[in-house]
Amino acid sequence: MSFVNVASFSEQKFVTSLELVHVRVGFMADMNCPGMNSVLPILTERGYFNGERFRWFLYGLRAIEENRTFLQKLHITVSSNVLLLLPAGTDNAVLNVRGQWMGKTWDVSFLQAGSWSIATGLNMWDTRSAYEKQLNLFGMQLSGISKTKTIYGDRTLEGEMQTNRAYGLQLWNVLSMVHNTSITENFSTNYDDQLADVIIEPVVIKQEDLAKLDYTAAVQDTQTILLFLHPEVDRTRNSILRPFSFLTWIAIGFLIICFTLLMYKTFMFEQEVDRTKVQRDRENGFFVLVMGILCQQGFIESSRSSASRLTLFTMLVFSVLIYQFYLTHIVSMLLVVPPKNIRTLEQMVANKFGVAVENVPESVELLNATEDKYLLTLVQTQISRTGTVYYDIKEGISLLLERERSAFVCDANRAYQQIRHTFTDEQRCALQEIPLMAKQSTHLALRKDHPLKEQFRVTVQKIIAASMVQYERKRCYADKPRCAENEVKMPEVNLDQVSSVLLLLFGTIVCSIGVLLLEITVRKVLPKRH
């Protein structure tokens, strides 16, 4: 507690003494002091009569109406916390002084909150909190400005951010109902317009806006992401050859050749031991026999040597094991959703992707400020393909569907809204995203040092606790699209997966017909020559 001599009042010393105090400060002013009428207007210009930090107790006045004009000069608003002690017969009335908006200016209103006398002491019957006392704003008119009216280059952003604007309007309407206010939109395109009380859309806290705006509470999260459809694994390699790697197929082919040569040698050995017509016939069909054994087909043969028996047994075990691995992979490929292996910008560059960018300030600033060489490479790839890199949100999402190996940098909320209406379940499962920035919270914002900032801040916190903000968010925004196939899918073999086998069979049939016609021709022509 300290006393200030009004006669020797120094504004600079008074302000300096309060700069070191970071808690709430209470002032008591004796209005009978001759110099008080000149000191209080000075403190008013400093904003000491507004805000939650400062509380005033005025005494020494004799009549309200005589001093109403003077009190109005103190710029008392709804955020002021002022008590006034007035004589009322044998007791003294304790009045709560607050500002009430009347058309285009603040008017001073008085409400008795208690009484004081020497005999009974202080008796306060209005025990409501400061927030509850200032809840009703009596139809106060507020003005709001929309950031979607901002012109960026030669193109207006209004059409692309209507959802964000609608969400902000819904929240401000809730606040208006709670506080009995109304908000009129100011259609000025000047974002720095100081006549506006609020910003309609939730905005991100930026360093350059701290001197212009006060923020209430976070009501939404925003994030810039990179979206693309993951390439189908089936198309990167023939599905029939997928179960084994290239080296494994070479090893299997080498073993088949070895088995064939070994069987040929054993057949030749048995032919020398017992030269019969049956053995000569076996010599002509041993390769078909080897392939039949490897394909697990039945055969009727007799093995006369231990070498041939050992070879046949090894071939049977080899074919059984190989088929187990092969069929297991085929079944798992049909049942399990293919993994998404592309998770970084470097991998996207390796897979020859191109990246388009949403034509909004946030994405453009991100692209101009980035030093990521992989992202710049992806952008250059897109420019070489189409000649442009900037797209609207609808065009960018359509680009993902129309052109393979294309990606799109955009705001997550707007992208999810488009994906919900345009993507099929299969496309949602193939959708992959890479966050380019951490999530940023957006806030409802008011003009700097606005008298209602504390009231609105508390109210926003209350409607968040009551889940009203979550309800409005669900109405205006779409959640991240979820894949209908969780971890397994129904077995399905598409035509493109077995096309190579069908082409092999068709080619073999055509070749067989050609060879058959050749054989018939040879048999009919050669006898006539003889």
Side-chain angles (χ1 to χ4, degrees):
M1 178 181 291
S2 62
F3 295 90
V4 177
N5 188 353
V6 176
S8 60
F9 177 78
S10 171
E11 179 183 356
Q12 187 61 38
K13 291 182 179 180
F14 186 82
V15 173
T16 303
S17 65
L18 290 179
E19 288 180 351
L20 302 177
V21 180
H22 300 288
V23 295
R24 291 181 176 180
V25 179
F27 300 98
M28 296 181 64
D30 185 358
M31 304 303 294
N32 287 321
C33 293
M36 191 60 68
N37 291 344
S38 60
V39 171
L40 292 185
I42 296 176
L43 300 182
T44 298
E45 295 298 327
R46 291 280 183 174
Y48 289 156
F49 271 89
N50 291 282
E52 290 294 316
R53 184 185 174 192
F54 305 109
R55 299 186 177 186
W56 287 86
F57 184 75
L58 306 179
Y59 64 96
L61 293 175
R62 294 300 176 185
I64 294 179
E65 296 303 327
E66 295 178 2
N67 298 277
R68 181 183 293 273
T69 303
F70 172 74
L71 292 175
Q72 287 179 341
K73 294 180 181 179
L74 299 182
H75 298 164
I76 294 177
T77 64
V78 69
S79 62
S80 302
N81 198 328
V82 180
L83 292 178
L84 179 63
L85 184 67
L86 283 179
T90 58
D91 295 334
N92 293 280
V94 179
L95 304 180
N96 183 23
V97 184
R98 58 172 297 185
Q100 181 176 339
W101 186 256
M102 301 297 292
K104 297 182 179 181
T105 184
W106 291 98
D107 191 15
V108 178
S109 65
F110 304 91
L111 178 65
Q112 186 170 357
S115 63
W116 177 82
S117 67
I118 299 178
T120 61
L122 181 64
N123 182 20
M124 299 292 293
W125 54 73
D126 188 354
T127 58
R128 295 177 300 169
S129 64
Y131 170 79
E132 293 173 335
K133 294 176 182 178
Q134 302 165 359
L135 190 62
N136 189 353
L137 299 178
F138 301 99
M140 179 179 178
Q141 294 285 337
L142 300 176
S143 62
I145 188 171
S146 174
K147 283 190 67 178
T148 60
K149 303 296 182 181
T150 305
I151 303 298
Y152 183 78
D154 296 329
R155 183 177 60 89
T156 179
L157 304 177
E158 181 178 2
E160 298 174 359
M161 296 186 181
Q162 281 297 332
T163 300
N164 200 29
R165 179 175 176 275
Y167 178 59
L169 279 175
Q170 290 292 339
L171 295 182
W172 284 117
N173 288 337
V174 173
L175 294 178
S176 297
M177 289 186 291
V178 173
H179 291 286
N180 188 17
T181 63
S182 61
I183 297 177
T184 303
E185 184 173 355
N186 183 354
F187 291 98
S188 170
T189 58
N190 184 10
Y191 177 62
D192 297 326
D193 193 346
Q194 296 299 319
L195 298 178
D197 295 294
V198 302
I199 304 298
I200 292 179
E201 298 89 353
V203 294
V204 176
I205 298 178
K206 295 184 178 180
Q207 185 68 31
E208 58 268 23
D209 291 337
L210 292 178
K212 298 182 294 184
L213 300 176
D214 280 324
Y215 302 91
T216 56
V219 295
Q220 174 67 321
D221 291 328
T222 182
Q223 186 177 32
T224 301
I225 59 175
L226 186 147
L227 289 174
F228 64 96
L229 294 179
H230 198 283
E232 294 187 14
V233 180
D234 295 339
R235 295 184 180 180
T236 60
R237 190 181 177 195
N238 189 291
S239 58
I240 304 300
L241 301 178
R242 273 184 54 203
F244 298 140
S245 65
F246 180 72
L247 292 178
T248 305
W249 281 117
I250 293 179
I252 293 175
F254 176 76
L255 290 176
I256 291 176
I257 294 174
C258 292
F259 280 135
T260 303
L261 295 176
L262 184 58
M263 290 299 297
Y264 175 77
K265 288 298 182 180
T266 56
F267 284 167
M268 294 297 295
F269 173 75
E270 293 179 0
Q271 185 176 354
E272 292 177 0
V273 174
D274 185 11
R275 288 184 174 275
T276 63
K277 183 177 182 302
V278 176
Q279 289 298 113
R280 287 193 294 272
D281 292 339
R282 290 178 62 194
E283 180 180 346
N284 296 329
F286 76 92
F287 183 74
V288 177
L289 175 63
V290 172
M291 295 305 298
I293 295 174
L294 291 175
C295 295
Q296 296 185 342
Q297 301 299 314
F299 64 94
I300 302 176
E301 289 292 342
S302 58
S303 299
R304 293 175 174 80
S305 65
S306 299
S308 63
R309 293 170 183 172
L310 181 61
T311 302
L312 289 173
F313 177 77
T314 305
M315 289 172 61
L316 289 172
V317 174
F318 172 78
S319 63
V320 169
L321 294 178
I322 287 297
Y323 269 93
Q324 289 296 324
F325 286 111
Y326 187 88
L327 294 178
T328 300
H329 188 280
I330 292 294
V331 172
S332 64
M333 180 187 69
L334 295 176
L335 292 178
V336 179
V337 177
K340 297 178 181 178
N341 299 319
I342 303 177
R343 300 181 181 275
T344 62
L345 297 179
E346 182 179 1
Q347 292 173 333
M348 293 184 67
V349 172
N351 284 271
K352 300 179 180 179
F353 272 82
V355 167
V357 179
E358 184 184 5
N359 196 6
V360 294
E362 294 81 3
S363 300
V364 175
E365 290 174 4
L366 172 66
L367 181 59
N368 293 335
T370 185
E371 297 181 356
D372 193 312
K373 61 179 182 180
Y374 298 113
L375 180 58
L376 296 177
T377 302
L378 295 171
V379 171
Q380 291 298 324
T381 302
Q382 180 66 24
I383 295 177
S384 63
R385 290 179 182 177
T386 62
T388 182
V389 71
Y390 295 112
Y391 292 84
D392 295 337
I393 185 67
K394 292 182 180 179
E395 296 173 349
I397 297 300
S398 299
L399 180 69
L400 300 181
L401 302 177
E402 297 170 0
R403 185 181 291 271
E404 292 185 355
R405 298 187 184 277
S406 293
F408 188 49
V409 175
C410 57
D411 177 76
N413 293 322
R414 292 194 292 273
Y416 295 159
Q417 192 78 5
Q418 290 293 325
I419 290 170
R420 182 174 64 177
H421 298 295
T422 57
F423 275 44
T424 63
D425 289 341
E426 183 179 357
Q427 291 167 342
R428 293 180 184 182
C429 291
L431 188 65
Q432 185 81 341
E433 68 177 51
I434 299 177
L436 298 182
M437 295 178 60
K439 286 187 177 181
Q440 293 181 304
S441 298
T442 58
H443 305 68
L444 293 180
L446 298 90
R447 187 183 69 243
K448 188 67 176 179
D449 296 326
H450 197 280
L452 297 179
K453 66 176 182 179
E454 188 64 22
Q455 287 291 99
F456 282 162
R457 185 191 66 80
V458 176
T459 304
V460 172
Q461 295 286 1
K462 286 181 176 292
I463 64 175
I464 290 175
S467 300
M468 296 183 67
V469 170
Q470 183 179 3
Y471 170 75
E472 296 295 343
R473 188 187 301 130
K474 289 288 185 181
R475 291 181 57 190
C476 297
Y477 297 101
D479 293 330
K480 180 178 179 180
R482 300 183 61 183
C483 179
E485 302 167 344
N486 187 8
E487 295 181 353
V488 297
K489 61 178 182 178
M490 294 299 296
E492 183 183 71
V493 179
N494 298 322
L495 181 61
D496 59 343
Q497 293 176 310
V498 295
S499 58
S500 58
V501 178
L502 298 179
L503 290 175
L504 176 63
L505 179 59
F506 180 75
T508 304
I509 293 175
V510 173
C511 292
S512 299
I513 293 175
V515 173
L516 178 61
L517 293 176
L518 180 62
E519 289 181 346
I520 293 174
T521 302
V522 170
R523 287 182 177 275
K524 289 185 177 182
V525 172
L526 290 181
K528 293 181 181 180
R529 291 184 177 181
H530 292 290

